[in-house]
Amino acid sequence: MTYNKKSVEDIDVAGKKVLVRCDFNVPVKDGVITDDKRIVGAMKTIEYLVAQGAKVILCSHMGRPHNVLDEKLKLDKKEIKKIEALPAEEQEAAKAAALEKGAKDITKLSLGIVADDLTKKGIPVTLAADVIGPDAQAKAAALKDGEVMLLENVRFHAAEEKNDPEFAKALASLAEIYVNDAFGTAHRAHGSTAGVADYLPAVCGYLIQKEIDVMGKALDDPKRPFVAILGGAKVSDKIGVINNLIEKVDTLIIGGGMAYTFFRALGNPIGTSICEDDKLELALELLAKAKDKGVNFLLPVDNVIAREYKEDATFMRIYSDSIPDGWMGLDIGEKTQELYSKSIAGAGTVVWNGPMGVSEWDNFAGGTRAVAKAVAESGAISIIGGGDSAAAVEQLGYADKMTHISTGGGASLEFLEGLELPGIACLLDK
Ligand code: ADP
Ligand code: MG
């Protein structure tokens, strides 16, 4: 998918009310933001708009709140089912308790913490008490050039995720221009991510622009050799990506738990390794497709295997054709690390999605570490997509050596699958 979309720089924003969809879905623990990367990432677009004299209206979701700003507080289906399973005389009290818990989301999942953080970072922000309600309307109307406000959590309304046109219209009526800069939700057609674009001229911010520039170029016109590294737990999560990338890459490197589905399909013993038995045929099809396209398809030649799925499990290294009964593969082995690193070193473009093993645990993180190092040192155009792989790269201190670390796990996967992202497709073409 190639996108050539207008950005904030292609539209006159001076003196205009600009609604900006950000990704402020930051992790919060005990009332403290534990990782402010997403807020920092959003600042470039906000600062540009402020400098241009726009009236800036920010919005975002955070977490999965109850829809507390809807007329009637709604409970989700699972909760309703749980309550209905209770004895009749207990249902009323259980419902009241659940609703009360929902009401607490208004404090727990309020974006107030983000407004405070942005203010501390030098962008003074006022928070509206609602999203499309009277407070948001009044505050938006009173904005002066260069001022910034933030709407409450858009998911306080069920209408957001349903992409209800009435909600999108109300949101759009606060502003004159729409800027989408939330790549992490660009694969979802929600009110604030796509719906508003039906009513306002819509462009992208700097974050989305970088995502589509770097990833789009890599997929359409890669510097070769083009090497894709795919890992993670399951083949089923990555079928779309493998299918799409097989058409484009020179080398496809497989690691992580998904390797064992390929091995079983090929008739290798895999012990108790994670395996999707309903994907064996597909695995063979993918191997055949790779061969057909002349893609160099690399599977691990050795593995770090363990007795059980535990951080401190006994482990050893073994070749891929002789994993014993009762043992499971939790990482790629040293020989594989060397082989993969060599292939990565010669690459022109690298796309990496999914760790090579259970990288959360030190004993099984060696493969992911080695691949991260190889990518960092390769000099190739390097793109990291996927939450766990991005986290590993950051934790290992290689973040600034990569060309691009995608800010959206699910969205970058869908991008790599070649799917259309509604939050980007809705923006004005250049
Ligand atoms: P990303 O978020 O980068 O797309 P995934 O979510 O697809 O990556 O995969 C990451 C998960 O895969 C991690 O939780 C990791 O523990 C798991 N994983 C990797 N290798 C194995 C393995 N050999 N066995 C079981 N789980 C694995
Ligand atoms: Mg993940």
Side-chain angles (χ1 to χ4, degrees):
M1 190 64 54
T2 331
Y3 293 108
N4 194 13
K5 295 297 182 181
K6 284 194 176 167
S7 82
V8 278
E9 291 185 11
D10 300 315
I11 195 163
D12 184 13
V13 295
K16 299 258 176 64
K17 290 201 202 75
V18 182
L19 176 71
V20 190
R21 176 53 154 101
C22 300
D23 181 2
F24 290 144
N25 184 27
V26 289
V28 176
K29 212 181 159 208
D30 303 325
V32 179
I33 296 171
T34 54
D35 182 351
D36 67 352
K37 209 169 56 232
R38 286 179 171 161
I39 298 178
V40 173
M43 287 173 66
K44 188 174 173 192
T45 297
I46 302 170
E47 279 166 350
Y48 172 82
L49 292 170
V50 168
Q52 293 293 308
K55 303 175 171 85
V56 184
I57 306 166
L58 307 173
C59 69
S60 174
H61 80 282
M62 187 192 271
R64 304 199 158 276
H66 289 75
N67 313 126
V68 283
L69 289 184
D70 286 346
E71 270 163 44
K72 228 164 93 205
L73 186 65
K74 289 193 186 73
L75 294 174
D76 65 33
K77 278 195 207 112
K78 227 162 88 198
E79 247 167 333
I80 291 170
K81 255 200 190 143
K82 241 200 272 170
I83 292 168
E84 283 173 355
L86 293 170
E89 65 274 16
E90 287 173 30
Q91 288 191 13
E92 267 312 300
K95 194 171 168 200
L99 287 174
E100 194 180 324
K101 198 165 136 254
K104 281 198 186 128
D105 281 355
I106 256 214
T107 42
K108 220 170 58 199
L109 293 174
S110 164
L111 285 173
I113 195 165
V114 173
D116 292 346
D117 194 63
L118 276 168
T119 304
K120 253 185 251 153
K121 287 177 162 60
I123 302 177
V125 174
T126 40
L127 179 76
D130 47 33
V131 184
I132 47 170
D135 194 51
Q137 288 171 27
K139 285 200 165 78
L143 273 181
K144 296 198 185 73
D145 293 358
E147 283 184 352
V148 184
M149 67 177 283
L150 172 60
L151 304 176
E152 253 308 353
N153 191 337
V154 286
R155 289 197 189 163
F156 283 163
H157 289 277
E160 158 69 1
E161 288 183 86
K162 289 193 186 123
N163 196 9
D164 170 4
E166 285 307 311
F167 174 76
K169 205 169 168 181
L171 196 57
S173 74
L174 299 171
E176 295 155 279
I177 292 170
Y178 169 65
V179 175
N180 191 5
D181 211 19
F183 185 71
T185 47
H187 58 317
R188 307 265 179 252
H190 292 169
S192 70
T193 64
V196 280
D198 284 346
Y199 308 98
L200 293 174
V203 300
C204 63
Y206 289 111
L207 271 181
I208 285 200
Q209 189 183 38
K210 187 176 176 221
E211 298 276 359
I212 57 182
D213 279 359
V214 181
M215 284 207 279
K217 169 110 177 54
L219 295 186
D220 288 343
D221 180 23
K223 190 167 167 222
R224 295 193 179 268
F226 184 5
V227 178
I229 312 161
L230 298 175
K234 297 195 284 183
V235 186
S236 52
D237 289 342
K238 309 280 158 88
I239 296 168
V241 181
I242 300 176
N243 248 323
N244 190 37
L245 290 182
I246 263 182
E247 308 274 345
K248 302 171 191 289
V249 299
D250 301 292
T251 298
L252 190 58
I253 292 178
I254 300 285
M258 73 161 94
Y260 303 100
T261 299
F262 285 98
F263 281 136
R264 175 163 286 168
L266 289 166
N268 283 13
I270 60 164
T272 50
S273 303
I274 185 171
C275 179
E276 290 168 280
D277 284 327
D278 59 336
K279 295 287 177 290
L280 299 179
E281 214 166 294
L282 174 93
L284 291 177
E285 277 166 33
L286 290 171
L287 286 165
K289 191 171 169 189
K291 199 169 169 200
D292 190 43
K293 302 264 169 202
V295 172
N296 190 16
F297 197 102
L298 302 182
L299 283 165
V301 293
D302 62 349
N303 312 265
V304 179
I305 59 170
R307 275 278 188 199
E308 40 186 349
Y309 185 75
K310 256 173 85 178
E311 181 158 16
D312 58 355
T314 314
F315 62 93
M316 63 176 181
R317 188 178 72 84
I318 194 124
Y319 284 102
S320 294
D321 57 2
S322 41
I323 297 176
D325 284 351
W327 290 74
M328 62 181 77
L330 293 183
D331 195 8
I332 58 172
E334 263 170 52
K335 282 262 176 273
T336 310
Q337 291 180 21
E338 276 171 37
L339 186 82
Y340 287 5
S341 297
K342 219 182 257 169
S343 176
I344 293 162
T349 303
V350 179
V351 168
W352 180 15
N353 182 290
M356 296 291 99
V358 184
S359 56
E360 301 93 322
W361 296 338
D362 203 45
N363 287 342
F364 308 107
T368 303
R369 273 200 293 266
V371 162
K373 183 163 181 281
V375 177
E377 291 172 354
S378 66
I381 294 161
S382 50
I383 297 169
I384 319 298
D388 290 292
S389 355
V393 164
E394 263 148 30
Q395 205 207 331
L396 293 167
Y398 291 122
D400 56 1
K401 295 249 165 42
M402 306 300 178
T403 309
H404 183 61
I405 298 180
S406 178
T407 51
S412 64
L413 259 190
E414 291 197 15
F415 199 106
L416 296 176
E417 286 177 39
L419 299 176
E420 179 178 276
L421 308 187
I424 297 175
C426 70
L427 306 176
L428 292 171
D429 286 317
K430 262 197 183 159

